[in-house]
Amino acid sequence: MRAVLADLSVPRYLLTAATKGRAPFGLLSLRDDLPAPALPKAPGWVLLRTELGGICGSDLAVARAKNSPVLSAFYTARKQILGHEIVAVVDWTGPGVTAVQAGDRVVVDPVLPCAHRGFEPCRSCREGHPNVCERGQNPAQGFDAALGGGWGELIAAHESQLHRVGVMAAARAVLAEPASIGLHATLRWERRGDRAVVIGPGTIGLLTTAALRRLHPDLDITVVGPGRFKAENVGATRTMASGPEVVEKLAEIHGGRVIRPRVAGTPILEQGVDVVFDCVAQPDTIDLALHLLRPTGMLVLVGGAGRQRVDWSLVWNRQLTVQGTINSGPEPALGGRSAMSQVVQWLGDPAYPADGLVTHEFPLSRWRAALSTAAAGPRAGAVKVALRPL
Ligand SMILES: [Zn+2]
């Protein structure tokens, strides 16, 4: 089968040459000779034929070897077919499959917890957090060549990972996975207060905003950062450019003093906002988030933070909570339903504002152009870029 294969077995001393300069995606290559994924022996597995596979910021980080070394403990497969935002058609069903049949169009929840791999459930899985399964080394679709991923023609998946999407447009369905990430992130915050900030209006930031708006029709949501897509269309109350001046602007809008440190640096919003969702998680956005929060407020780290220099003084001094979030799973706030099933329902509603988020589609043969466009983001007018097999 055809797929873009990431070969991560490159020795470390060659990594820089393989990921910089004129060949920034040197770890990847398009292959036509890969074996179709073999279904695991456990019951309930199906073979999928890819319709559309999204490009996530985390994929670009893998492709450019930019992840923190600590993550190599979890993403252990040396050969990976990337792409965990997947729309596909069920091609073939293995033994014991009852939830789907050949021909069904589906999206994939790429979390593959203990039960599906034939393990006794770990404590995370038992306690309802399969998205942070303790067997973190479980490979999943999009991080493993053996199972396949959205940047290839065929994928193996367990039926419990699948959500049927009927005739939903592929450009909406491919947003199910990032939308579930956004919904799961918003549910890390138990609402206390009326003012939220979302930093980074890329796909995840926009879908986090859309989820916040669905859950809290009256919430004041400021979206901060560069983007071609109007965040007001997905529910933002207002948008503004990123930078320390966000503190002054919010003080003007909502009242409250601006506290200026005696030395240079970002001013502090005295009567700050209740929660910040940082969908970028770079040192400057984390710094801004901490300066915007009121005492006892919450910073939800949605973006993939790494090893970075940040002044954490305000975390203890204002008793802030820093909350991480990854993947999605069953949500007590949704009566135990999964975030994925909720967003599939939302995406099926024409009033849910997801049209136009997929700005570019490329065939697999043009994977380099696709990745360059995704990496350029707002500079290329791109929000979500996706790959299709042909
Ligand atoms: Zn587990």
Side-chain angles (χ1 to χ4, degrees):
M1 71 159 182
R2 168 173 275 213
V4 176
L5 186 73
D7 183 353
L8 307 178
S9 58
V10 173
R12 280 207 77 76
Y13 68 94
L14 289 176
L15 263 185
T16 304
T19 58
K20 291 263 158 59
R22 298 180 65 185
F25 304 118
L27 300 177
L28 308 185
S29 59
L30 181 64
R31 301 274 297 267
D32 284 305
D33 57 346
L34 296 171
L39 300 191
K41 288 214 169 12
W45 284 80
V46 306
L47 190 67
L48 305 174
R49 192 166 282 280
T50 306
E51 202 177 297
L52 200 59
I55 299 174
C56 171
S58 66
D59 296 323
L60 292 173
V62 173
R64 297 192 287 189
K66 282 200 169 163
N67 273 327
S68 164
V70 72
L71 294 180
S72 65
F74 300 128
Y75 304 99
T76 51
R78 297 289 84 198
K79 304 261 167 118
Q80 300 186 7
I81 296 172
L82 299 175
H84 54 273
E85 302 171 357
I86 299 164
V87 189
V89 179
V90 176
D91 192 66
W92 191 80
T93 58
V97 172
T98 56
V100 292
Q101 52 189 18
D104 282 349
R105 289 179 77 237
V106 294
V107 292
V108 180
D109 180 348
V111 173
L112 200 48
C114 289
H116 307 156
R117 308 288 299 182
F119 296 121
E120 281 297 309
C122 70
R123 185 166 167 186
S124 288
C125 285
R126 279 201 312 275
E127 293 182 350
H129 308 292
N131 58 306
V132 282
C133 175
E134 288 178 15
R135 289 190 171 90
Q137 72 274 27
N138 281 351
Q141 292 83 7
F143 304 98
D144 178 33
L147 289 169
W151 302 4
E153 288 176 316
L154 297 168
I155 303 164
H158 191 270
E159 61 173 341
S160 61
Q161 297 182 279
L162 306 180
H163 297 262
R164 280 180 296 180
V165 294
V167 296
M168 186 188 297
R172 282 177 83 86
V174 78
L175 298 170
E177 198 276 342
S180 75
I181 301 281
L183 173 56
H184 181 73
T186 63
L187 292 172
R188 297 316 94 207
W189 177 58
E190 280 183 39
R191 182 167 177 180
R192 293 188 305 127
D194 300 322
R195 295 160 65 203
V197 168
V198 177
I199 302 179
T203 306
I204 295 284
L206 292 167
L207 292 169
T208 296
T209 305
L212 277 175
R213 182 52 74 217
R214 280 262 157 160
L215 297 172
H216 309 289
D218 62 327
L219 188 67
D220 184 281
I221 308 171
T222 301
V223 172
V224 171
R228 291 278 181 86
F229 192 92
K230 246 177 105 64
E232 285 89 345
N233 291 352
V234 295
T237 309
R238 71 188 67 76
T239 57
M240 48 184 77
S242 194
E245 55 280 5
V246 173
V247 174
E248 277 117 11
K249 285 187 192 159
L250 285 181
E252 263 170 44
I253 292 165
H254 292 127
R257 205 159 59 95
V258 173
I259 307 170
R260 293 181 197 284
R262 259 188 296 161
V263 289
T266 311
I268 301 161
L269 187 58
E270 186 180 54
Q271 292 160 39
V273 303
D274 301 284
V275 63
V276 178
F277 297 89
D278 185 349
C279 304
V280 181
Q282 290 297 306
D284 59 329
T285 60
I286 296 172
D287 181 73
L288 176 62
L290 297 177
H291 288 74
L292 288 174
L293 284 164
R294 70 175 173 81
T296 76
M298 179 183 275
L299 164 60
V300 183
L301 275 182
V302 193
R307 199 157 46 177
Q308 27 198 213
R309 197 179 166 89
V310 171
D311 183 345
W312 295 102
S313 307
L314 291 168
V315 175
W316 59 265
N317 194 270
R318 306 195 101 193
Q319 209 171 299
L320 305 178
T321 299
V322 178
Q323 170 72 54
T325 175
I326 183 152
N327 296 327
S328 70
E331 306 290 351
L334 302 175
R337 291 175 64 211
S338 73
M340 188 75 127
S341 69
Q342 178 63 71
V343 299
V344 167
Q345 191 186 325
W346 284 350
L347 285 161
D349 172 3
Y352 181 75
D355 288 335
L357 286 179
V358 174
T359 51
H360 299 74
E361 281 185 29
F362 291 90
L364 273 181
S365 57
R366 296 193 60 214
W367 65 273
R368 280 180 196 280
L371 265 62
S372 301
T373 305
R379 283 178 284 122
V383 183
K384 174 58 64 191
V385 181
L387 286 164
R388 50 186 152 75
L390 285 173

